[in-house]
């Protein structure tokens, strides 16, 4: 249903009461479009709000709200005793710009597929366009598709009622400090104290609450590190294969990535001493569960890496993204806890142990860097959500986090066991890495069945299964012309990442059964 009403000067208003766009917004947009396209000229008188409301069959308040918005933006002006007119001061250069000849119906939307001229973008923006793809929603939501996407925990098992209770406790307490700008940029003090106690106990991290900086997850943590510790052209060592999102952050800030191969013991430290156009001063590592291979960095490698940082005055970024979930042997202490010289920036997150939408993480900073990061965080966004920080503090101190992790560790261990068993029945395979985290790497005999990695993923998609090739994370193999491979790297063709956190045991079994025909003789 639409309401089409002529005006003087005549132009149509096509209102759609059944559309989700509010009526006052529809009136505003269409009058504004009529002005900008020249259909209503400067000095033209518009109908009185009561008259227009009666003609449209809507409330006068709706029309008044639309007129008020147009007046505040300078499109209309009121003249005492005369009525409402199109402003005399609208620049001719605006008339027809960007909308001339276009349908100005309220349902029409401007194109969002435009790209600003390269010359008008900052160097940072140009690097963003080169280093990062356009963010897209997850494409694995088809009801019959089973995805081995590696990052997803099982959200259905999170204690949402307990979490909501904690959020409500602070939201409804009458204390409005969580609604203000008055927080320390480093974060909510009780949460920093809770995190200090937690990581000291479960990860052997040595820290004081004053060293904890609360961030909007790992990505913001890495962005702040790049801002504070990197100049444009600075060399940073990255694991190969490695976490692509970290690479994109550093590349967007102008880093020179130096891709260091990993093996079954983690990063090959001796490669850090290779000659590069700029000395390596930063090394990004995932030592407790290397992504994507799952390798656990050995103690000799850890010591060698710390020695490298001490000898070169370098910094180590330790991304400890899912080490809470270990399924065999004793917990592995964090690299940071072995560092006597405080050259390690320890990055933690609650995305895996709780839920990604929480958007809370933290950095354990060397004392020498605290003040610089405090100011960088303040300039970036002042503070992370205080309400969520307060709820998370209680979630930790009341033992709910530890209880949830214990429960999920048992669940994920069983799912990993189901996945390994199903893969071994599928075909002779090679499982790599430590039994930990929410994903594993497996080598499938793609060559034996005459398929490439890409072809296998396409065939799997036809069976409603999403697979992810490790080769996509192997920069050196994809760019064989790069002169950085001073040590032999592993060939990752035929290796795939299997994330099992977000799949039930039944889902895992079904997904592998769907793949089975691809490997049948």
């Amino acid at each position: 249903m639409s309401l089409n009403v002529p005006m003087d000067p005549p132009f149509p208003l096509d209102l759609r009461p059944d559309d989700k766009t509010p009526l006052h917004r529809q009136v505003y947009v269409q009058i504004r479009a009529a002005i900008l396209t020249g259909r209503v000229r400067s000095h033209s008188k518009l109908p009185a709000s009561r008259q227009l409301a009666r003609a449209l069959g809507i409330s006068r308040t709706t029309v008044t709200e639309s007129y008020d918005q147009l007046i505040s933006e300078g499109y209309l002006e009121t003249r005492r005793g005369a009525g409402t007119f199109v402003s005399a001061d609208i620049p001719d250069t605006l008339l027809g710009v960007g909308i001339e000849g276009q349908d100005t119906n309220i349902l029409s939307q401007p194109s969002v597929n435009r790209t600003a001229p390269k010359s008008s973008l900052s160097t940072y923006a140009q690097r963003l366009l080169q280093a990062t793809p356009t963010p897209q929603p997850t494409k694995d939501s088809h009801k019959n598709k089973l995805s081995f996407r590696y990052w997803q925990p099982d959200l259905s098992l999170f204690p949402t009622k307990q979490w909501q209770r904690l959020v409500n406790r602070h939201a409804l307490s009458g204390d409005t400090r969580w609604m203000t700008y008055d927080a320390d940029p480093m974060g909510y003090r009780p949460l920093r104290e809770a995190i200090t106690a937690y990581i000291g106990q479960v990860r052997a991290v040595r820290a004081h609450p004053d060293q904890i900086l609360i961030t909007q997850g790992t990505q913001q943590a890495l962005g702040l590190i790049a801002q504070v510790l990197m100049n444009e052209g600075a060399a940073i060592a990255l694991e190969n294969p490695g976490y692509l999102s970290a690479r994109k952050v550093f590349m967007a800030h102008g880093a020179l990535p130096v891709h260091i191969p990993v093996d079954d013991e983690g990063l090959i430290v001796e490669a850090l001493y290779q000659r590069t156009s700029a000395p390596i001063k930063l090394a990004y590592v995932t030592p407790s569960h290397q992504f994507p291979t799952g390798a656990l960095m050995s103690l000799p490698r850890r010591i060698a890496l710390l020695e490298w940082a001490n000898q070169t005055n370098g910094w180590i970024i330790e991304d400890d993204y899912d080490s809470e979930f270990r399924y065999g042997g004793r917990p592995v202490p964090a690299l940071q806890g072995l560092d006597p010289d405080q050259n390690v920036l320890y990055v933690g997150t609650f995305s895996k142990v709780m839920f990604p939408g929480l958007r809370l993480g933290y950095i354990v900073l060397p004392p020498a860097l605290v003040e610089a990061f405090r100011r960088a965080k303040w300039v970036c966004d002042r503070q992370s959500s205080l309400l969520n920080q307060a709820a998370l503090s209680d979630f930790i101190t009341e033992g709910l986090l530890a209880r949830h992790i214990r429960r999920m560790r048992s669940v994920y261990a069983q799912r990993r066991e189901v996945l390994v068993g199903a893969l071994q029945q599928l075909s002779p395979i090679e499982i790599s890495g430590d039994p930990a985290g929410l994903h594993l790497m497996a080598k499938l005999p793609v060559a034996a069945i005459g398929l490439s990695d890409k072809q296998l993923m396409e065939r799997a998609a036809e069976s409603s299964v999403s697979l992810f090739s490790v080769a996509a994370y192997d920069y050196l193999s994809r760019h064989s012309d790069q002169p950085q491979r001073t040590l032999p790297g592993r060939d990752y063709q035929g290796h795939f990442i299997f994330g099992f956190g977000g799949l039930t045991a039944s889902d895992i079994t079904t997904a592998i059964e769907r793949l089975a025909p691809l490997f049948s003789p």
Side-chain angles (χ1 to χ4, degrees):
M1 174 182 176
S2 65
L3 303 173
N4 194 295
V5 180
M7 296 178 61
D8 185 20
F11 71 93
L13 280 182
D14 184 17
L15 302 187
R16 303 193 177 189
D18 55 345
D19 188 78
K20 64 180 179 181
T21 304
L23 287 174
H24 72 85
R25 182 70 182 176
Q26 296 186 39
V27 174
Y28 158 80
V29 169
Q30 293 187 52
I31 294 178
R32 175 180 176 273
I35 294 171
L36 290 177
T37 55
R39 287 184 291 150
V40 180
R41 300 293 181 180
S42 296
H43 303 284
S44 297
K45 184 177 181 179
L46 269 65
S49 59
R50 182 177 287 105
Q51 175 189 351
L52 181 59
R54 186 183 307 115
L56 294 174
I58 60 178
S59 73
R60 184 186 178 192
T61 301
T62 298
V63 176
T64 301
E65 188 173 350
S66 306
Y67 276 14
D68 287 346
Q69 180 68 29
L70 291 162
I71 291 169
S72 69
E73 295 179 7
Y75 293 100
L76 301 181
E77 60 187 20
T78 57
R79 300 176 190 175
R80 184 183 296 273
T84 303
F85 294 79
V86 177
S87 175
D89 298 326
I90 296 178
D92 291 340
T93 53
L94 280 181
L95 300 180
V97 172
I99 60 175
E100 184 173 2
Q102 292 184 12
D103 179 10
T104 55
N105 186 286
I106 188 68
L107 299 181
S108 298
Q109 299 295 329
S111 171
V112 296
N113 295 320
R114 298 172 182 156
T115 302
K118 189 173 182 180
S119 59
S120 70
L121 297 176
S122 69
T123 302
Y124 174 74
Q126 293 181 42
R127 287 194 299 258
L128 275 180
L129 293 176
Q130 294 175 351
T132 61
T134 301
Q136 298 289 342
T138 300
K139 297 181 180 180
D140 295 324
S141 57
H142 188 280
K143 63 179 181 179
N144 291 323
K145 178 164 279 189
L146 297 173
S147 175
F148 285 107
R149 186 173 292 276
Y150 53 83
W151 49 260
Q152 183 77 355
D154 191 333
L155 305 181
S156 69
L157 297 180
F158 183 76
T160 52
K161 290 184 179 179
Q162 293 175 319
W163 174 255
Q164 189 62 56
R165 173 178 60 82
L166 298 178
V167 171
N168 290 342
R169 172 190 293 172
H170 293 275
L172 304 177
S173 67
D175 184 346
T176 60
R177 285 178 294 178
W178 62 269
M179 303 174 70
T180 71
Y181 283 124
D182 296 337
D184 185 340
M186 295 292 287
Y188 183 60
R189 179 76 186 194
L191 175 58
R192 290 188 284 136
E193 293 172 348
I195 289 174
T196 300
Y198 167 71
I199 59 179
Q201 178 180 0
V202 303
R203 301 297 298 125
V205 171
R206 298 182 296 116
H208 185 276
D210 290 342
Q211 294 175 252
I212 306 291
L213 172 66
I214 305 300
T215 67
Q216 306 276 16
T218 297
Q219 292 303 109
Q220 186 185 60
L222 299 181
L224 289 171
I225 291 171
Q227 292 173 13
V228 174
L229 296 181
M230 276 181 24
N231 291 317
E232 187 168 348
I236 180 169
L238 302 173
E239 298 169 320
N240 190 79
Y243 181 43
L244 292 183
S245 292
R247 183 181 188 277
K248 291 168 185 174
V249 169
F250 298 126
M251 288 288 289
H253 284 85
L256 171 66
V258 182
H259 299 89
I260 307 296
V262 300
D263 60 17
D264 292 340
E265 295 184 62
L267 185 83
I268 301 178
V269 177
E270 61 185 279
L272 293 172
Y273 294 95
Q274 65 183 287
R275 291 182 178 273
T276 59
S277 58
I280 301 174
K281 291 297 183 181
L282 280 168
Y284 170 82
V285 294
T286 52
S288 295
H289 190 226
Q290 200 277 329
F291 184 85
T293 68
L296 172 66
M297 183 177 283
S298 65
L299 181 59
R301 291 275 178 91
R302 291 172 180 243
I303 293 173
L305 182 58
L306 294 172
E307 289 178 347
W308 165 83
N310 188 42
Q311 292 174 16
T312 62
N313 293 318
W315 299 104
I316 301 168
I317 306 165
E318 179 181 10
D319 187 349
D320 200 12
Y321 63 98
D322 69 355
S323 61
E324 285 89 349
F325 301 123
R326 306 201 70 81
Y327 314 119
R330 302 178 64 181
V332 178
L335 177 68
Q336 191 268 3
L338 298 174
D339 178 23
D341 303 303
Q342 302 195 71
N343 294 320
V344 176
L345 292 85
Y346 178 89
V347 177
T349 178
F350 294 96
S351 293
K352 297 292 190 296
V353 297
M354 293 179 63
F355 54 95
L358 180 60
R359 304 316 306 142
L360 285 179
Y362 56 93
I363 313 174
V364 180
L365 296 163
L369 299 179
V370 168
E371 189 56 34
F373 274 84
R374 180 194 304 273
R375 300 188 187 196
K377 173 66 174 177
W378 187 88
V379 168
C380 177
D381 64 359
R382 288 185 180 264
Q383 65 202 40
S384 301
S385 165
L386 285 177
L387 182 59
N388 282 337
Q389 289 187 67
L392 178 56
S393 174
D394 293 349
F395 196 72
I396 296 173
T397 56
E398 294 181 14
L400 298 175
L401 177 63
R403 184 185 309 166
H404 179 60
I405 290 174
R406 285 195 300 270
R407 178 192 183 194
M408 297 313 297
R409 186 184 293 123
S410 175
V411 169
Y412 294 145
Q414 189 251 348
R415 292 180 183 180
R416 187 181 190 278
E417 184 178 350
V418 169
L419 174 60
V420 171
L423 286 171
Q424 289 174 340
Q425 291 183 6
L426 178 69
S427 176
I429 61 167
E430 173 189 327
I431 303 291
S432 300
D434 208 47
L438 301 182
H439 77 276
L440 59 80
M441 184 176 76
K443 184 177 181 180
L444 302 180
V446 291
I449 59 176
L451 297 177
S452 66
D453 289 7
K454 181 180 179 181
Q455 289 171 331
L456 179 59
M457 289 189 290
E458 291 172 348
R459 296 281 187 87
E462 293 172 0
S463 300
S464 295
V465 177
S466 290
L467 289 181
F468 301 89
S469 171
V470 175
Y473 301 84
D474 182 5
Y475 182 86
L476 292 179
S477 290
R478 290 186 292 111
H479 299 79
S480 57
D481 57 332
Q482 297 294 308
Q484 299 175 10
R485 192 189 286 276
T486 58
L487 291 173
R490 187 173 180 178
D491 179 8
Y492 290 99
Q493 294 297 317
H495 289 77
F496 292 84
I497 307 169
F498 287 87
F500 51 82
L503 296 175
T504 66
S506 176
D507 288 339
I508 293 170
T509 301
T510 299
I512 301 302
E513 287 175 349
R514 291 180 183 178
L515 296 178
L518 301 178
F519 295 89
S520 299

